[in-house]
Amino acid sequence: MNVAAIIIGDELLSGKRQDKHLQSLIRILAARGLSLATAEYVGDNPARITAALQRAFASGELVFSFGGIGATPDDHTRSCAGQALGLPLEVHPEAGALIEARFGEDAYPHRINMAMFPSGSRIIPNPVNQIAGFSHGDVHFVPGFPAMAWPMIEWVLDSQYRHLFNDSPDVEAGVIALNAREGDLITLMQDFSQRYPALKLSSLPSFGNETIPQMHIDFGFTGQRQLVEIAIAEWRKALTAAGYTLRERS
């Protein structure tokens, strides 16, 4: 099952805030032998959010949606999720009880709206302020606040997707070829891609930088460790035989 992210908020697209969720989600997944397949940034536009969520619900992927589930007028995610599913919003009894326990009479008339989820949703416990997120199918909605969102994602993964965890996650190994041009090595890259279809071959060319001033290409293989080790050893031999000087990654 692929893992995807939807990160919502005008403040991220305008540059007022820097996104912290993407790198943290990658780290949280990697600790469980998983990886992120795709990520999408969406502003606070209900039509765009609804369209993104329609794709998410139809994808069959494990999707984490960040942001927009608060109680202010610019928090559209809950209503957009309902529209994407074609379901009404209703106060989730457990989520509503948590808000009432925290705020008492002040839960009304506004804070209780944070317990309004599409019919049939499940709650995601919030260890910071007890205002729950929610799940519907394999799409999971958490707040935009990192201190809340990240432990909530960990709870979802550990409680519902442990069967996806990989004790032997993919690894990546590479080597740098100095004064190399991609055009001269396409045939060799094609040969290795056909020889090792289970591996992902990457090629990152550079005209030079502070570390390596001359033109070079950073090649990498990603996949299961044993196969990567075999492929990178053969790749080194092939590059050396072609006359390239190799350099290890720093």
Side-chain angles (χ1 to χ4, degrees):
M1 177 182 282
N2 288 331
V3 184
I6 300 172
I7 304 171
I8 298 169
D10 283 345
E11 68 277 7
L12 302 175
L13 298 178
S14 68
K16 291 181 180 178
R17 288 186 179 178
Q18 296 297 310
D19 172 50
K20 298 179 180 179
H21 293 303
L22 187 62
Q23 285 300 319
S24 292
L25 179 58
I26 291 170
R27 172 184 55 78
I28 290 168
L29 292 171
R32 293 156 176 81
L34 304 175
S35 60
L36 186 66
T38 184
E40 180 177 3
Y41 289 89
V42 185
D44 294 316
N45 179 290
R48 290 185 180 275
I49 296 171
T50 300
L53 293 179
Q54 286 174 332
R55 294 191 296 272
F57 286 120
S59 70
E61 297 180 325
L62 166 55
V63 182
F64 291 102
S65 173
F66 298 84
I69 62 172
T72 57
D74 61 343
D75 288 317
H76 305 295
T77 303
R78 288 177 290 102
S79 61
C80 290
Q83 292 178 37
L85 289 164
L87 294 172
L89 298 187
E90 58 187 23
V91 174
H92 188 286
E94 189 175 351
L98 288 167
I99 291 175
E100 290 176 341
R102 177 173 173 81
F103 297 105
E105 293 182 358
D106 291 336
Y108 296 89
H110 300 302
R111 290 187 174 95
I112 195 65
N113 290 330
M114 291 186 287
M116 294 279 287
F117 305 145
S119 177
S121 295
R122 312 180 306 277
I123 71 165
I124 302 174
N126 184 334
V128 176
N129 66 0
Q130 287 70 58
I131 298 177
F134 68 97
S135 301
H136 206 288
D138 290 309
V139 184
H140 308 276
F141 297 84
V142 298
F145 297 102
M148 300 179 189
W150 302 343
M152 293 169 75
I153 289 171
E154 291 179 321
W155 180 87
V156 168
L157 290 169
D158 293 342
S159 65
Q160 300 177 39
Y161 295 97
R162 191 170 293 274
H163 61 285
L164 298 180
F165 293 4
N166 186 356
D167 293 332
S168 300
D170 287 350
V171 300
E172 199 260 354
V175 65
I176 297 169
L178 302 181
N179 298 310
R181 299 174 185 271
E182 282 187 312
D184 298 330
L185 289 164
I186 290 176
T187 299
L188 186 62
M189 286 190 280
Q190 290 174 336
D191 289 344
F192 268 73
S193 293
Q194 293 173 2
R195 190 183 308 176
Y196 294 99
L199 300 182
K200 182 184 293 184
L201 170 62
S202 62
S203 173
L204 185 62
S206 172
F207 288 108
N209 52 45
E210 293 181 0
T211 305
I212 305 175
Q214 65 264 60
M215 178 183 296
H216 60 274
I217 302 176
D218 186 340
F219 292 105
F221 287 92
T222 303
Q224 288 296 293
R225 181 179 298 278
Q226 186 174 4
L227 197 57
V228 166
E229 291 175 351
I230 295 170
I232 196 66
E234 291 190 6
W235 184 250
R236 290 173 185 271
K237 290 179 181 178
L239 290 176
T240 300
Y244 293 100
T245 300
L246 307 184
R247 178 166 174 171
E248 300 302 320
R249 292 171 167 176
S250 57

